[in-house]
């Protein structure tokens, strides 16, 4: 007689999304997400203003200049950071000649017309690593000089008060020549710091950066050049300061001529590969679960996993457990019998001595060859006992 067939159970209906949200688990994750968003917003609102820009007065990172800005503020210098060219010009005009402009434009974002407007409003300027356009607008008599960018200690050679405050300077970066240079670099015709009638040119950001402010003479140079007036306009142009008449660069013009055909061919081959791989297996075939998997396949699959992962201890533990189970069944000790009880029963039956059985049943496997030899010894022991 054939066994009666069990009727197939109807598939469970999908739970609507609204009911899933009402479950305790879904509500917990929603509340957790809302709490994380609220925490992030509060952190952004309550955290002090900071910037990741190099030489920014509110950047506490090694490349920032927050240390100099805070020391200047403690000495009574109001540090203002304008966000646009018009704001900087307005701040300079409102200061009525009692402000110093610090201009750091390493990317040369300001055009000649913008630089001239800024120079007309600034009575005193500190330029950090300026280019040719900035030098022409603020310090016409200063020009770049050839020289090494290696760091070295140089001595002051001028009668300015700066020489008394910083007789030695750790020079680094660019070198310039101009009307007055206070720190000549041997072997070159340039100076790391040059003065003109209304501008001071610094050849490196290291003189103001947080990580280098403790260099020889750096702090004295920074405070002397930036603390002359009661107000400091710290201006770093953004990309929005690009002049309107300057055409936007086309990045595709920088690519080689073969780039377009190669990209088109690669895209076509990618689409064909997706179409090929997507159709080679055919449509999905539904199959009822559960699926019966033969025990031999499970054993073979687990053995392959053990072999791939070199799990010698796991294999030895499985072999030992199986042997002890069969030995306990042979001596009718029950499923709860321990290793010592099984060893005592085998010793009493005269199979082997207790120390030999203890050494065999508690191995320390060190290699695959050792594991194979031990498995053979374990199988021989079971033959001697006569367990199935």
């Amino acid at each position: 007689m054939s066994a009666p067939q069990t009727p197939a159970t109807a598939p469970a209906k999908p739970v609507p999304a609204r009911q899933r949200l009402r479950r305790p688990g879904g509500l917990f994750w929603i509340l957790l997400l809302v709490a994380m968003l609220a925490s992030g917003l509060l952190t952004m609102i309550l955290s002090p203003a900071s910037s990741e820009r190099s030489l920014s007065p509110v950047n506490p990172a090694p490349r920032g200049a927050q240390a100099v800005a805070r020391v200047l503020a403690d000495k009574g210098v109001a540090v203002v950071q304008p966000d646009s060219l018009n704001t900087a010009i307005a701040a300079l005009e409102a200061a009525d000649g009692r402000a110093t402009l610090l201009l750091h434009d390493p990317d040369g974002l300001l055009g000649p017309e913008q630089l001239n407007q800024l120079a007309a409003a600034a009575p005193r300027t500190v330029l950090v690593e300026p280019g040719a356009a900035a030098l022409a607008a603020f310090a016409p008599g200063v020009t770049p000089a050839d020289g090494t960018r290696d760091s070295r200690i140089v001595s002051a050679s001028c009668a300015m008060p700066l020489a008394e405050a910083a007789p030695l300077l750790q020079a680094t970066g660019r070198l310039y020549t101009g009307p007055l240079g206070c720190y000549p670099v041997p072997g070159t015709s340039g100076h790391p710091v040059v003065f003109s009638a209304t501008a001071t040119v610094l050849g490196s950001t290291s003189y103001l950066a947080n990580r280098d402010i403790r260099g020889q003479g750096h702090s004295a140079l920074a405070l002397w050049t930036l603390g002359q007036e009661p107000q400091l306009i710290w201006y770093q142009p953004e990309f929005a300061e690009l002049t309107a008449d300057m055409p936007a660069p086309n990045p595709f013009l920088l690519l080689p001529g073969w780039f377009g055909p190669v990209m088109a061919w690669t895209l076509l081959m990618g689409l064909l590969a997706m179409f090929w791989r997507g159709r080679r297996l055919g449509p999905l075939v539904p199959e009822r679960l559960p699926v019966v998997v033969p025990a031999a396949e499970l054993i073979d699959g687990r053995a392959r996993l053990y072999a791939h992962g070199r799990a010698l201890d796991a294999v030895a533990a499985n072999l030992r457990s199986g042997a002890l189970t069969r030995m306990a069944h042979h001596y009718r000790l029950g499923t709860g019998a321990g290793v010592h009880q099984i060893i005592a029963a085998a010793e009493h039956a005269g199979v082997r001595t207790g120390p030999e059985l203890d050494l065999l049943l508690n191995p320390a496997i060190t290699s695959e060859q050792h594991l194979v030899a031990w498995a053979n010894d374990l199988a021989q022991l079971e033959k001697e006992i006569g367990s199935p």
Side-chain angles (χ1 to χ4, degrees):
M1 293 179 61
S2 60
Q5 296 183 354
T6 307
T9 17
K13 296 182 179 180
V15 182
R18 186 173 301 176
Q19 294 183 12
R20 289 199 304 268
L21 293 178
R22 289 178 183 174
R23 292 180 177 178
L27 182 61
F28 168 76
W29 290 112
I30 291 176
L31 292 177
L32 181 62
L33 179 60
V34 172
M36 292 176 61
L37 292 176
S39 175
L41 290 176
L42 288 177
T43 303
M44 293 176 58
I45 295 173
L46 299 180
S47 60
S50 61
S51 172
E52 296 182 357
R53 294 193 64 183
S54 173
L55 219 66
S56 172
V58 293
N59 184 4
R63 297 171 62 246
Q66 189 183 70
V68 173
R70 286 191 173 182
V71 173
L72 291 171
D74 293 340
K75 292 184 175 296
V77 178
V79 180
V80 180
Q81 189 180 16
D83 55 358
S84 66
L85 176 65
N86 295 332
T87 307
I89 294 176
L92 289 170
E93 293 175 350
D96 196 17
R98 301 192 61 192
T100 300
L101 170 67
L102 184 146
L103 178 62
H104 179 225
D105 186 15
D107 299 321
L109 301 179
L110 297 181
E113 183 178 353
Q114 295 170 314
L115 291 171
N116 291 329
Q117 294 177 1
L118 196 59
R124 189 175 183 277
T125 308
V126 176
L127 304 175
V128 182
E129 293 185 347
L135 291 175
F138 290 91
V142 179
T143 56
D146 296 333
T148 176
R149 298 180 63 92
D150 297 337
S151 178
R152 62 178 69 180
I153 304 295
V154 294
S155 303
S157 63
C158 62
M160 300 179 64
L162 174 62
E164 300 179 2
L168 297 177
L169 178 67
Q170 184 179 2
T172 182
R174 302 177 183 177
L175 301 180
Y176 297 88
T177 58
L180 178 58
C182 196
Y183 296 94
V185 178
T188 68
S189 60
H191 301 256
V193 182
V194 175
F195 304 93
S196 67
T198 59
T200 300
V201 179
L202 304 181
S204 174
T205 59
S206 300
Y207 304 136
L208 306 178
N210 296 328
R211 64 182 175 188
D212 302 315
I213 194 60
R214 293 185 179 181
Q216 182 72 45
H218 288 189
S219 57
L221 174 63
L223 298 179
W224 191 86
T225 54
L226 302 180
Q228 296 291 324
E229 302 294 342
Q231 193 171 4
L232 174 63
I233 312 300
W234 199 302
Y235 181 43
Q236 294 179 287
E238 302 281 354
F239 282 98
E241 306 291 339
L242 292 172
T243 54
D245 56 347
M246 184 182 300
N250 186 2
F252 293 101
L253 298 178
L254 304 177
L255 299 176
W258 51 263
F259 182 80
V262 169
M263 286 302 298
W265 177 258
T266 304
L267 179 61
L268 178 61
M269 292 298 102
L271 293 176
L272 291 177
M274 292 169 59
F275 180 76
W276 166 61
R277 294 293 296 180
R279 290 181 57 87
R280 65 185 297 268
L281 298 178
L284 297 177
V285 178
E287 184 177 358
R288 289 188 176 183
L289 295 177
V291 177
V292 178
V293 180
E297 293 187 10
L298 291 177
I299 295 174
D300 184 65
R302 179 172 294 184
R304 290 179 183 273
L305 289 176
Y306 284 153
H308 181 72
R310 297 183 58 83
L312 303 180
D313 295 336
V315 175
N318 287 336
L319 294 176
R320 177 177 178 271
S321 176
L324 290 175
T325 301
R326 289 187 292 271
M327 291 169 64
H329 178 72
H330 176 75
Y331 291 118
R332 293 181 172 84
L333 297 177
T335 57
V339 181
H340 297 291
Q341 296 177 357
I342 298 174
I343 292 177
E347 184 180 16
H348 181 72
V351 179
R352 296 188 188 183
T353 63
E356 292 178 350
L357 292 172
D358 184 70
L359 183 62
L360 179 60
L361 294 175
N362 295 284
I365 303 301
T366 57
S367 63
E368 294 181 357
Q369 292 78 7
H370 187 194
L371 177 64
V372 173
W374 174 77
N376 292 332
D377 294 341
L378 194 62
Q380 181 63 30
L381 175 63
E382 292 193 52
K383 289 182 180 178
E384 295 176 7
I385 293 174
S387 60

